[in-house]
Amino acid sequence: MKKILTLVVLLATMTVAAQAQVKFGVKGGLNLTSMKLSKDVVDKSNQAGFFIGPTVKFTLPVVGLGIDASALYDQRSAEVGDEKIKQQSIQIPVNLRYGIGLGSTASIYIFAGPQFGFNVGDKDFTSIDAATNTASSWTLKSSNLSANVGLGLMLLNHLQVSANYNVAIGKTGDFNVWKATSSSIADAISGDTKANSWQLSVAYFF
């Protein structure tokens, strides 16, 4: 009985896999990063960045479920004092998606999933703010984990437009700040930072 049940499950899995659709494409977009500090000790301004790279969509013929994954070159930045902190990384989002058809020309979908990041740029930065007599040093992590949640629109089975929020899980980096209180004494403060982003993307599947 167990062998028969195993055979039925295997045949069903092979049937679903044979009917599954796999599409490859290219994806790019913009992000607006919000750098959160564990201690509010230095002024900062957030800036827009971008990402681009190949993507793949795996759609099952079962209640609109699917998976998409990408390998994206991602650049995010923030200005701290007189220095721009630029994070350059390879981001690999893997999202579970659920789509609802609006006819043969369009469908909407929601998605969520983890994103794995690997730093490929500079990891260490220093900044001096003459206006506040403050110096700081920043160290970005070599890798990081974040999560995506968002929604999108698929047009003509080829063009995809989506928006999502990417939230850091754990810290993105560490910082140290030295603020002079007199000519010979300085207060030293350490902390960590998280980089969350709003993202808008466009993808084209071949």
Side-chain angles (χ1 to χ4, degrees), residues 20-110:
Q21 294 182 353
V22 180
K23 289 189 175 183
F24 297 91
V26 61
K27 181 179 181 180
L30 301 175
N31 54 47
L32 181 61
T33 301
S34 174
M35 183 175 288
K36 304 294 185 181
L37 307 182
S38 59
K39 299 178 181 180
D40 192 12
V41 295
V42 63
D43 292 332
K44 63 186 184 304
S45 60
N46 302 305
Q47 295 189 356
F50 68 92
F51 53 90
I52 189 169
T55 186
V56 61
K57 182 179 65 169
F58 183 79
T59 304
L60 291 174
V62 181
V63 294
L65 288 177
I67 296 173
D68 64 54
S70 306
L72 306 172
Y73 171 77
D74 184 289
Q75 181 175 301
R76 309 181 186 190
S77 62
E79 286 189 354
V80 180
D82 296 329
E83 177 72 20
K84 177 181 288 188
I85 299 175
K86 182 184 295 184
Q87 182 186 29
Q88 301 176 78
S89 62
I90 300 298
Q91 297 289 331
I92 304 176
V94 181
N95 297 310
L96 178 67
R97 51 195 285 163
Y98 177 74
I100 302 173
L102 300 177
S104 60
T105 58
S107 63
I108 59 174
Y109 65 95
I110 57 175

Side-chain angles (χ1 to χ4, degrees), residues 123-199:
K123 299 178 183 177
D124 299 306
F125 301 87
T126 58
S127 173
I128 298 177
D129 192 335
T132 60
N133 203 21
T134 300
S136 58
S137 66
W138 304 73
T139 301
L140 300 177
K141 294 184 64 178
S142 298
S143 62
N144 57 78
L145 176 64
S146 59
N148 291 315
V149 59
L151 56 86
L153 175 66
M154 193 77 187
L155 299 171
L156 301 174
N157 291 321
H158 291 286
L159 183 62
Q160 175 180 288
V161 180
S162 64
N164 70 276
Y165 188 62
N166 175 252
V167 57
I169 300 175
K171 64 181 181 180
T172 305
D174 300 294
F175 68 88
N176 294 284
V177 177
W178 297 269
K179 187 170 184 178
T181 56
S182 69
S183 59
S184 60
I185 301 176
D187 292 328
I189 300 174
S190 299
D192 57 67
T193 179
K194 292 184 177 182
N196 303 329
S197 294
W198 286 102
Q199 298 181 320

